[in-house]
Amino acid sequence: MTPGAVYIHIPFCTHKCHYCDFTAYVVGGQPVDDYLDALEREMARTAAEVPPGRIHSIFIGGGTPTVLEPQQLEKLFNDIRRHFPDRAPGIEFTVEANPGTTDPSKLAVMREGGVNRLSFGAQTFRPDLLTKIGRVHTVDDIGHSVEQARAAGIDNLSLDLMFGLPEQRVADMEVALDRSLELEPAHFSVYSLKVEQGTVFHKQWLQGELPLPTEDDELEMYQLTRRRLEAAGYHQYEVSNFSRPGMESKHNATYWLNEPYYGLGAGAHGYVGGWRHQNVKGVSEYIRLTREKRPIADSHRVPFVEEMENHLILGLRLLDGLDTRVFRRRYGRDLGDVFGPVVDDLLRRGFLHTEGERLALTETGLLFGNEVFASFLGEAVI
Amino acid sequence: MSEPKRQQQAMIRNFSIIAHIDHGKSTLADRILEYTGALSNREKQEQFLDSMDLERERGITIKLQSVRLPYRAKDGKEYILNLIDTPGHVDFSYEVSRSLAACEGALLVVDASQGVEAQTLANVYLALDNDLEILPVINKVDLPSAEPERVREEIEEVIGLDASEAVMASAKAGIGTEEILEKIVNEIPPPEGDPDSPLKALIYDSIYDAYRGVITYIRVVDGSIKKGMKIRMMATGKEFEVTEVGVFAPGPIRREELTVGEVGFMVASIKNVKDTRVGDTITDAVHPASEPLPGYQPINPMVFSGMYPVNSADYGDLREALEKLELNDASLRYEPETSGALGFGFRCGFLGLLHMEIIQERIEREFGIPLITTAPSVIFHVYKTDGTRVEIENPTHMPPQQEIENVEEPYVQAAIMVPNDFVGAVMELCQSKRGNYRDMQYLDANRVNIVYDLPLAEIVYDFFDQLKSGTKGYASFDYELIGYKSSNLVKMDILLNGEPVDALSFIVHRDKAYHRGRALVEKLKELIPRQMFEVPVQATIGNKVVARETIRAQRKNVLAKCYGGDISRKRKLLEKQKEGKRRMKAVGNVEVPQEAFMAVLQMDDDKK
């Protein structure tokens, strides 16, 4: 199956946030133009090896893709168009942006390049909290950027919010939801903070200096989010994602449906022809390698059993769950034959429920997703 | 006909080495082997005598070895030295006494800085009981901290041995080896015994070999043993035909026969080590000796615990593992038992805590079976109101309080040697462990030997750990069983989520019950991960709750973010979570980790 989705990674930021463990380098002094040239080389090599068909979604993430200058963005969009020319009519083309990093000229270039969706990392609306988590934008930047995007003709907008931040209270989350609802975006991604190794937060946490909210408060923030967004006409379609009807992210659906995608850029992951791979993370190494070959750091052929496990781990994140007929079609096996005892156990314990041919998380299952996902590992009957 | 045998007999010297852990026994043995040429450098393993991995790691000896060494002494004559190893732990003191009984002499190795330790003292007494010639060796004299003169005095004062002739040695540096060998030849008497009497051979150990069956380690006391002979084990009455005899030099070498005074091995198609009991006498089945050698005792386990597979599917494998270990370990007992909480498993009997830990570790390591071991218990004698007596080795089987007239528990006499500064700490510890003071002797200006009678149940509880931490590791310790005494004991039950968990029940003195119950529920709260529901943890005596804690419910557990690239990493997290689960046992609805079943041993309630 030829991938219908393309992910492109721009590993530059104006500043590294305290929770971020993605491949991201502060842009000052970085060889950005060389990087974009390398990216073009990788596109060419990839397209030569696995010629792309019709593309349904493109996602440019980071880092902060919007730190690129207008002419750099323009080059990037041209390269994408050249190497992935066949675009489906309803293609979703998203660029990740931090509030305050967009301006009318960049937005115009984006619109020109086919971008029709922006995802803004708003995170929170408490000014001192924004500073504490290492964000450089202000609360006002958020509204301002949204306005500018709409003015430029890009009105499919998504906002990222975070909860479970140090010192964050339930009331702060309430403010964040109120203020962002006023902006009427089409889509929300609401994540809980996870303290990852190698981040500023992890260091603080090890030193006992990260005042995270209690589990009760964190849970309340999540439930509050679900209630408020639901009431405002957004439906939750994934553990952390909410949208107006019909505005679900197409690109992310690729991941959750365990479907293939091209992954381009330093540190990017891809899933092509049954292989998952990750590119090298270092910018200069990436640039150097692309002169000779595809800049892959490691790759592995996903074994059949792992593929089926992934299908469940990813697919059950969608609140509609997964279609057992799709499973059978794709793997030639009945879900019940492969994972029967596990599924039965999860149904019995109230983590899963069935609806027609679909299998989905219950309310309990949603809160204990890890229990559900972990229980499939190593349990396939072949 | 027996003249050559008598001549050979005069040239034999059988000896063992008595030493505290780390005082250099294995290194000295290596030096002696090297010096006599029994072990060339090429085939030399770091320490020859401790051959099991576990033995080497822990610096202890579990299975005995012996080695026959030819030695040309300064008098120009060729001697045969047999070095018989002894185990180095209080759990195995009976085995020590039997291997000492196979010798005429012993080297007493004492560290020139550390001095005499309790373990050493206990073994010296065993050696004196067996009328052994004891040759003091002061080892590690080349270390800067060495005080050989002080140690020499200590040997004289504490043990009452003449140490004026003690050899000053450094096994590590090879100092004193020849002097030691000369002393062995000149001061240890040759074996007595009559080559023409009916066979009497002492069994001091046996090992199981997959191809040849049990290999029995023996010392011939009277007569001789050879291939084809019909033999009888005098304690068990079992008869076998000898298929092979030989010596270790150090590898096994077959011989026509073993005669008076010789040490070696015997093979006789014996399928189970329980048929060749340590301390038993082998005799000629056709012309049997009238009396066995003295000192035989059947081995009785002192400490019991339940061993359960974490995954019930491993039950069959666990049985097999125990069967295999039993082949090589006559003191291991086990029988099937069922626990409401843990399912099918085995009640196992051990000589002591170390023995228990060794078996547990070998099952997990060599057989790859994750285990849950319940807290060790001792045998309680329960006198019931109906006049009957029952022996309780599993707290779960304790009769209801109203049916009990009286309970007795085993007591040991413990000797603890410590530097002066820790006398207070040790006495306080012994008092808190329900000890009765017996005696105290000053060994020298700095060291004291303290003697207490203590309940064995307290020793298996956490006595070792507390003694170690209370004396910064300076205490050495030895004990022997002295009998049963009546005590005010009660059974404490632990309830998880309202359900009693039989595997967590234990028997405790009434005066300590409250503290221990409180400490245990607190510890369990710490060890048991939060579940999806609230879990009360209660400690009860009869129907009375004496302590209660609550494990709060876990409210969520979900990965917030998961996109394509994340999947490999998320899988790793999920696998870790799943692996953690695998090592837990579902008790009712509650997932309980392995450690929780040993939690009763991990508390310091007595410090409060």
Side-chain angles (χ1 to χ4, degrees):
Chain A
M1 193 162 50
T2 317
V6 183
Y7 176 81
I8 293 169
H9 193 76
I10 302 298
F12 307 116
C13 278
T14 51
H15 190 87
K16 184 123 179 167
C17 301
H18 296 171
Y19 52 82
C20 172
D21 72 328
F22 284 10
T23 307
Y25 307 93
V26 175
V27 69
Q30 287 284 341
V32 177
D33 288 320
D34 290 347
Y35 179 79
L36 293 174
D37 288 342
L39 199 50
E40 198 267 338
R41 287 193 293 272
E42 191 193 1
M43 288 180 206
R45 290 184 190 281
T46 305
E49 267 181 48
V50 188
R54 176 154 285 205
I55 300 301
H56 299 274
S57 74
I58 301 171
F59 193 105
I60 302 180
T64 310
T66 44
V67 298
L68 298 182
E69 297 301 327
Q71 67 277 16
Q72 291 170 328
L73 284 169
E74 196 170 355
K75 170 188 160 48
L76 175 62
F77 296 140
N78 288 337
D79 292 340
I80 296 170
R81 193 180 289 281
R82 192 160 64 253
H83 294 293
F84 300 92
D86 185 4
R87 295 190 177 183
I91 187 172
E92 175 189 281
F93 190 163
T94 309
V95 174
E96 220 174 12
N98 281 335
T101 60
T102 52
D103 60 37
S105 60
K106 288 182 187 178
L107 289 163
V109 173
M110 284 193 244
R111 171 136 168 89
E112 195 57 33
V115 174
N116 54 22
R117 186 172 180 267
L118 286 176
S119 169
F120 284 108
Q123 316 312 11
T124 177
F125 282 72
R126 204 178 105 186
D128 64 317
L129 214 49
L130 279 173
T131 315
K132 272 205 180 84
I133 65 174
R135 302 292 289 186
V136 285
H137 69 262
T138 64
V139 169
D140 290 340
D141 284 338
I142 302 169
H144 196 61
S145 289
V146 166
E147 269 169 42
Q148 279 185 338
R150 292 208 168 106
I154 303 175
D155 49 14
N156 184 356
L157 303 178
S158 176
L159 290 187
D160 286 359
L161 295 178
M162 291 183 85
F163 65 96
L165 296 170
E167 290 177 32
Q168 190 181 27
R169 296 158 307 193
V170 176
D172 298 327
M173 194 65 199
E174 207 154 2
V175 171
L177 288 164
D178 285 344
R179 297 283 303 270
S180 48
L181 279 169
E182 283 166 19
L183 301 173
E184 301 183 330
H187 187 276
F188 280 97
S189 295
V190 188
Y191 304 123
S192 73
L193 172 73
K194 175 143 195 316
V195 179
E196 300 281 1
Q197 258 179 16
T199 61
V200 174
F201 276 173
H202 189 248
K203 212 154 130 200
Q204 293 173 352
W205 180 75
L206 288 178
Q207 290 163 352
E209 287 164 8
L210 197 66
L212 296 173
T214 63
E215 188 185 40
D216 285 354
D217 277 358
E218 200 194 320
L219 179 64
E220 182 48 31
M221 291 183 215
Y222 183 54
Q223 298 293 37
L224 173 76
T225 303
R226 295 176 64 207
R227 284 196 303 270
R228 293 300 280 269
L229 293 183
E230 206 73 42
Y234 295 83
H235 79 111
Q236 182 178 15
Y237 68 98
E238 196 260 0
V239 173
S240 312
N241 286 276
F242 304 79
S243 81
R244 288 262 165 86
M247 303 305 281
E248 299 85 1
S249 164
K250 287 180 194 159
H251 185 80
N252 291 340
T254 311
Y255 302 142
W256 296 319
L257 296 173
N258 200 23
E259 283 173 358
Y261 57 95
Y262 293 104
L264 305 162
H269 294 260
Y271 182 28
V272 181
W275 289 72
R276 286 191 182 268
H277 73 85
Q278 182 174 21
N279 280 348
V280 296
K281 288 184 171 180
V283 168
S284 52
E285 197 191 359
Y286 174 82
I287 292 169
R288 189 171 52 75
L289 278 182
T290 49
R291 294 186 212 281
E292 299 152 24
K293 55 180 181 188
R294 288 174 66 193
I296 291 171
D298 56 357
S299 64
H300 88 287
R301 156 114 229 158
V302 183
F304 184 57
V305 165
E306 191 177 314
E307 202 182 340
M308 290 192 291
E309 289 170 354
N310 288 349
H311 194 93
L312 286 152
I313 293 172
L314 293 164
L316 285 172
R317 293 186 67 90
L318 292 166
L319 268 69
D320 275 351
L322 52 90
D323 190 325
T324 54
R325 288 166 303 189
V326 172
F327 187 93
R328 188 180 314 123
R329 229 178 3 255
R330 179 153 167 192
Y331 304 104
R333 301 285 309 270
D334 261 355
L335 181 61
D337 290 344
V338 185
F339 292 107
V342 186
V343 171
D344 288 347
D345 183 55
L346 291 168
L347 287 168
R348 188 181 53 77
R349 288 160 64 201
F351 286 104
L352 291 181
H353 67 108
T354 51
E355 220 175 294
E357 299 289 330
R358 301 192 77 86
L359 183 68
L361 294 177
T362 58
E363 175 74 18
T364 312
L366 176 65
L367 298 182
F368 290 89
N370 286 351
E371 301 270 337
V372 177
F373 307 144
S375 58
F376 291 105
L377 296 178
E379 300 295 336
V381 179
I382 293 300
Chain B
M1 140 104 193
S2 56
E3 202 39 44
K5 287 182 185 170
R6 287 193 195 280
Q7 276 171 21
Q8 182 192 293
Q9 187 179 352
M11 305 313 286
I12 294 176
R13 299 292 182 271
N14 294 324
F15 72 103
S16 58
I17 305 175
I18 295 170
H20 186 73
I21 280 178
D22 293 338
H23 283 196
K25 180 172 83 168
S26 302
T27 319
L28 179 61
D30 285 352
R31 281 304 95 78
I32 291 175
L33 262 64
E34 265 169 48
Y35 196 91
T36 56
L39 199 59
S40 70
N41 276 324
R42 190 177 53 78
E43 62 192 356
K44 181 183 146 197
Q45 272 185 307
E46 186 52 24
Q47 291 186 332
F48 173 75
L49 286 180
D50 295 341
S51 59
M52 237 191 283
D53 281 354
L54 210 57
E55 292 183 331
R56 202 162 291 157
E57 265 171 48
R58 294 191 171 216
I60 50 164
T61 307
I62 304 161
K63 275 288 158 191
L64 304 186
Q65 308 264 343
S66 71
V67 57
R68 180 184 174 109
L69 311 160
Y71 174 61
R72 180 177 293 277
K74 283 183 175 165
D75 62 11
K77 292 183 196 157
E78 192 80 37
Y79 290 86
I80 298 163
L81 312 185
N82 288 309
L83 165 55
I84 299 173
D85 198 12
T86 54
H89 192 274
V90 57
D91 281 6
F92 305 102
S93 60
Y94 173 68
E95 282 81 348
V96 177
S97 83
R98 292 307 83 203
S99 57
L100 291 174
C103 302
E104 279 74 38
L107 302 178
L108 167 62
V109 179
V110 182
D111 185 302
S113 324
Q114 311 284 323
V116 176
E117 302 284 358
Q119 185 76 73
T120 330
L121 193 59
N123 286 349
V124 170
Y125 289 148
L126 287 176
L128 290 172
D129 286 348
N130 284 294
D131 293 326
L132 264 53
E133 180 69 33
I134 294 171
L135 307 176
V137 174
I138 298 174
N139 194 23
K140 307 194 190 180
V141 291
D142 55 336
L143 292 186
S145 58
E147 292 179 84
E149 284 313 314
R150 178 181 69 77
V151 171
R152 191 202 296 272
E153 276 170 35
E154 197 176 281
I155 293 173
E156 299 200 333
E157 277 171 34
V158 177
I159 308 178
L161 282 177
D162 176 7
S164 56
E165 301 281 300
V167 180
M168 297 292 157
S170 166
K172 204 154 213 164
I175 300 169
T177 314
E178 188 184 20
E179 197 185 334
I180 290 168
L181 287 164
E182 286 298 317
K183 279 202 181 285
I184 290 170
V185 165
N186 295 321
E187 300 193 11
I188 295 177
E192 292 174 0
D194 182 353
D196 299 323
S197 293
L199 170 67
K200 273 190 194 176
L202 172 70
I203 300 174
Y204 67 88
D205 200 8
S206 56
I207 60 162
Y208 180 79
D209 180 280
Y211 301 102
R212 294 188 292 172
V214 176
I215 300 172
T216 307
Y217 293 12
I218 57 170
R219 149 75 197 269
V220 179
V221 177
D222 282 320
S224 58
I225 184 168
K226 61 176 88 175
K227 187 177 164 177
M229 211 168 142
K230 275 212 78 127
I231 52 160
R232 181 187 303 156
M233 307 296 183
M234 293 185 81
T236 60
K238 296 251 165 94
E239 298 195 356
F240 301 96
E241 188 180 312
V242 178
T243 56
E244 199 182 316
V245 294
V247 297
F248 298 101
I253 295 170
R254 272 184 215 192
R255 297 281 298 268
E256 274 306 303
E257 65 173 352
L258 291 178
T259 177
V260 167
E262 286 194 289
V263 174
F265 65 88
M266 186 268 308
V267 183
S269 337
I270 302 169
K271 293 201 180 58
N272 194 319
V273 283
K274 290 201 162 51
D275 292 333
T276 60
R277 296 199 184 151
V278 170
D280 198 355
T281 304
I282 300 174
T283 192
D284 186 334
V286 185
H287 304 288
S290 53
E291 291 285 322
L293 297 162
Y296 170 74
Q297 285 170 21
I299 301 175
N300 290 315
M302 303 233 277
V303 173
F304 293 82
S305 83
M307 287 192 168
Y308 292 83
V310 173
N311 312 310
S312 15
D314 288 342
Y315 177 76
D317 291 348
L318 176 57
R319 175 194 294 281
E320 241 168 70
L322 286 166
E323 277 166 6
K324 283 198 179 127
L325 291 171
E326 187 198 21
L327 285 177
N328 219 351
D329 185 342
S331 42
L332 172 65
R333 297 286 154 77
Y334 64 91
E335 57 185 58
E337 97 175 344
T338 315
S339 151
L342 300 176
F344 294 107
F346 296 91
R347 193 75 190 166
C348 302
F350 309 96
L351 296 175
L353 280 187
L354 178 78
H355 188 211
M356 178 180 107
E357 279 170 34
I358 288 167
I359 296 293
Q360 183 186 342
E361 225 171 296
R362 291 188 65 185
I363 291 172
E364 295 215 319
R365 218 193 270 195
E366 292 169 29
F367 297 90
I369 305 169
L371 276 188
I372 288 174
T373 312
T374 62
S377 175
V378 299
I379 300 181
F380 296 95
H381 292 170
V382 178
Y383 295 87
K384 295 173 62 174
T385 45
D386 63 6
T388 57
R389 190 190 91 156
V390 283
E391 294 194 357
I392 300 296
E393 56 187 55
N394 180 344
T396 317
H397 301 146
M398 193 78 165
Q401 204 65 37
Q402 62 275 14
E403 291 176 22
I404 297 175
E405 179 74 43
N406 181 28
V407 185
E408 288 184 350
E409 62 177 329
Y411 265 70
V412 297
Q413 184 155 87
I416 301 155
M417 280 192 193
V418 273
N420 255 346
D421 302 351
F422 298 110
V423 170
V426 169
M427 292 184 67
E428 203 177 305
L429 173 64
C430 289
Q431 295 292 352
S432 79
K433 297 294 186 188
R434 304 190 278 129
N436 297 318
Y437 171 81
R438 281 286 164 252
D439 193 13
M440 178 155 81
Q441 308 143 274
Y442 274 82
L443 305 176
D444 56 34
N446 293 316
R447 282 160 37 91
V448 184
N449 186 32
I450 305 166
V451 181
Y452 262 88
D453 290 351
L454 284 158
L456 179 61
E458 298 290 343
I459 306 261
V460 304
Y461 180 58
D462 63 349
F463 188 82
F464 284 111
D465 291 343
Q466 290 213 27
L467 181 64
K468 224 189 212 161
S469 59
T471 63
K472 303 206 168 89
Y474 280 113
S476 66
F477 170 64
D478 190 74
Y479 65 83
E480 61 175 334
L481 194 64
I482 51 171
Y484 274 74
K485 281 189 193 177
S486 166
S487 289
N488 188 3
L489 299 168
V490 293
K491 177 184 164 207
M492 179 160 276
D493 292 312
I494 300 296
L495 280 64
L496 285 183
N497 209 18
E499 293 294 318
V501 181
D502 55 2
L504 286 171
S505 295
F506 60 99
I507 291 167
V508 60
H509 195 269
R510 189 177 288 279
D511 294 347
K512 297 183 154 284
Y514 172 77
H515 272 306
R516 212 162 278 180
R518 172 110 298 275
L520 183 58
V521 296
E522 278 167 17
K523 188 77 193 176
L524 287 171
K525 181 183 178 179
E526 205 178 285
L527 288 173
I528 298 173
R530 291 184 305 154
Q531 317 276 315
M532 288 178 54
F533 42 87
E534 193 174 277
V535 178
V537 186
Q538 294 157 298
T540 63
I541 298 171
N543 290 323
K544 194 171 159 249
V545 176
V546 298
R548 183 195 157 110
E549 282 287 335
T550 305
I551 301 167
R552 295 196 51 211
Q554 183 186 27
R555 305 201 53 196
K556 71 190 236 319
N557 174 16
V558 64
L559 300 167
K561 211 175 198 178
C562 190
Y563 294 128
D566 286 327
I567 185 72
S568 316
R569 236 172 72 191
K570 299 296 180 199
R571 282 181 63 98
K572 275 188 198 125
L573 289 174
L574 294 171
E575 265 156 19
K576 224 165 123 189
Q577 176 172 335
K578 176 136 190 183
E579 188 48 42
K581 269 239 152 104
R582 275 201 194 105
R583 297 192 72 83
M584 291 205 241
K585 193 91 188 172
V587 177
N589 281 332
V590 186
E591 303 269 352
V592 183
Q594 270 175 308
E595 313 88 77
F597 295 96
M598 290 291 269
V600 68
L601 295 185
Q602 299 164 2
M603 306 171 303
D604 10 74
D605 54 340
D606 299 306
K607 289 199 183 133
K608 284 173 194 163

